[in-house]
Amino acid sequence: MTAGQRFREALAQNKPLQIVGTINAYQALQATKVGHKALYLSGAGVANASYGLPDLGMTNLEEVCIDVRRICAICPTPLIVDADTGFGHALNIGRCVIELIRNGAAGMHLEDQVGAKRCGHRPNKEIVETQEMCDRLHVALEARKIDPSFYLIARTDARAKEGLESAIERALSYAKTGVDAIFAEALQNLEEYHAFSQALSVPLLANITEFGLTPMFGLEELKSVGVAMVLYPLSAFRAMNKVALSVYADLKYKGTQKDQIPHMQTREELYEMLGYYGYEAQMDLLLGHQKS
């Protein structure tokens, strides 16, 4: 079964399907251990965590693929990837699809911002014309012929720039290209999600990111207005950052980390997550054979 097929199976079995952000392979293992059925690699996560850069379209395809490879090599849970605007012109978009498939991703989303993109919850976003976005999607759909199960999501950022009605019109045009789903960014109430889901014949994704324009709607609330997928792109990453900064501060100003111990994962918990003892047993067996 391909990664795309695994994702489609998860979507069919979970209504709505939660898609949780994982910035690295270890987080992917943690999310899978808890029982999540779909993972996400955020463009902001790659820029912030792997390169110390803001989410302003400053990373490239290969830099994203490095993290995709690391996650998909160790974790079978299907991974959806933030492909921003496709990392360039039409040929780059086609290459993006092919490379993500080759590196193990289950799917991706492509957005309608201009190349010099911004975070979807920041002001002053600029979006391309509807036809240009449809052209992007046609190229992506043509490229995914190497794996038709690869899940392709069209994201629109038009709600903030053009209003709800225009955003829905755009989404309908994008859906007609043959993409699998629509990602409506930065909606502000449940009524807006309901309007999208009622208009669309393809699944709708809601992005429930913290500290943005969209309220923290619960899973059941989103289900009630027809949302099929709920994305949490950087929730764990933000929590990790907060705790890590506190640890560094204690080391600097208290000279000890002892007050942070209750917030830390134990060595045994780490080993259990990694399957450490199994690896160690294999090493001992191999070394034993070599010595004998």
Side-chain angles (χ1 to χ4, degrees):
M1 184 180 289
T2 67
Q5 288 169 337
R6 294 197 301 274
F7 179 80
R8 290 170 187 273
E9 184 177 85
L11 181 59
Q13 294 176 354
N14 296 269
K15 300 182 184 299
L17 175 64
Q18 292 179 298
I19 307 173
V20 295
T22 55
I23 61 158
N24 56 37
Y26 188 76
Q27 277 203 321
L29 291 174
Q30 288 183 302
T32 300
K33 178 75 171 181
V34 169
H36 285 290
K37 303 301 181 184
L39 309 176
Y40 179 71
L41 181 63
S42 159
V46 173
N48 302 164
S50 294
Y51 296 95
L53 293 171
D55 182 24
L56 290 169
M58 298 170 71
T59 50
N60 61 40
L61 174 59
E62 176 54 24
E63 289 168 338
V64 172
C65 282
I66 289 169
D67 285 340
V68 172
R69 286 195 295 271
R70 288 172 175 170
I71 292 169
C72 294
I74 202 67
C75 186
T77 308
L79 179 73
I80 299 296
V81 178
D82 179 356
D84 288 342
T85 60
F87 306 104
H89 56 69
L91 294 178
N92 296 91
I93 292 169
R95 182 167 176 262
C96 171
V97 172
I98 291 168
E99 289 304 311
L100 290 180
I101 291 171
R102 286 175 174 168
N103 285 286
M108 65 177 242
H109 65 75
L110 190 67
E111 65 195 58
D112 58 7
Q113 287 198 52
V114 298
K117 61 149 290 174
R118 297 171 185 260
C119 167
H121 290 255
R122 294 293 300 156
N124 302 319
K125 295 184 294 185
E126 295 293 335
I127 53 179
V128 300
E129 295 296 324
T130 299
Q131 186 56 55
E132 181 175 341
M133 179 59 174
C134 288
D135 290 343
R136 290 177 180 178
L137 296 173
H138 283 301
V139 171
L141 287 160
E142 180 66 24
R144 80 152 178 195
K145 286 183 177 179
I146 66 168
D147 177 10
S149 72
F150 187 73
Y151 202 82
L152 188 57
I153 304 167
R155 168 176 149 175
T156 181
D157 283 69
R159 165 64 182 87
K161 189 73 176 178
E162 300 178 349
L164 180 65
E165 185 175 339
S166 178
I168 292 174
E169 289 177 0
R170 279 177 170 268
L172 290 170
S173 296
Y174 302 164
K176 287 179 182 177
T177 67
V179 296
D180 295 299
I182 295 294
F183 176 164
E185 177 67 304
L187 300 192
Q188 297 181 20
N189 54 61
L190 290 172
E191 289 74 22
E192 291 185 351
Y193 282 111
H194 189 249
F196 260 92
S197 67
Q198 288 293 102
L200 293 170
S201 59
V202 298
L204 175 65
L205 181 148
N207 181 20
I208 306 302
T209 187
E210 303 80 21
F211 316 111
L213 296 174
T214 304
M216 298 288 97
F217 298 122
L219 201 61
E220 289 303 314
E221 289 178 296
L222 292 164
K223 180 179 180 179
S224 74
V225 292
V227 170
M229 292 169 277
V230 184
L231 177 64
Y232 311 90
L234 291 169
S235 304
F237 174 59
R238 289 193 173 100
M240 291 162 59
N241 291 345
K242 185 77 170 181
V243 173
L245 189 61
S246 180
V247 171
Y248 293 135
D250 273 15
L251 289 171
K252 175 65 177 177
Y253 299 113
K254 295 181 181 179
T256 177
Q257 70 273 47
K258 65 182 180 181
D259 291 342
Q260 296 290 339
I261 294 298
H263 306 297
M264 291 186 183
Q265 180 187 55
T266 67
R267 186 182 298 272
E268 281 303 313
E269 288 168 337
L270 173 68
Y271 286 180
E272 193 277 333
M273 186 65 64
L274 294 172
Y276 178 91
Y277 295 115
Y279 285 106
E280 192 173 59
Q282 285 184 298
M283 181 183 294
D284 290 341
L285 182 62
L286 289 171
L287 291 175
H289 285 165
Q290 290 172 8
K291 290 177 181 178
S292 62

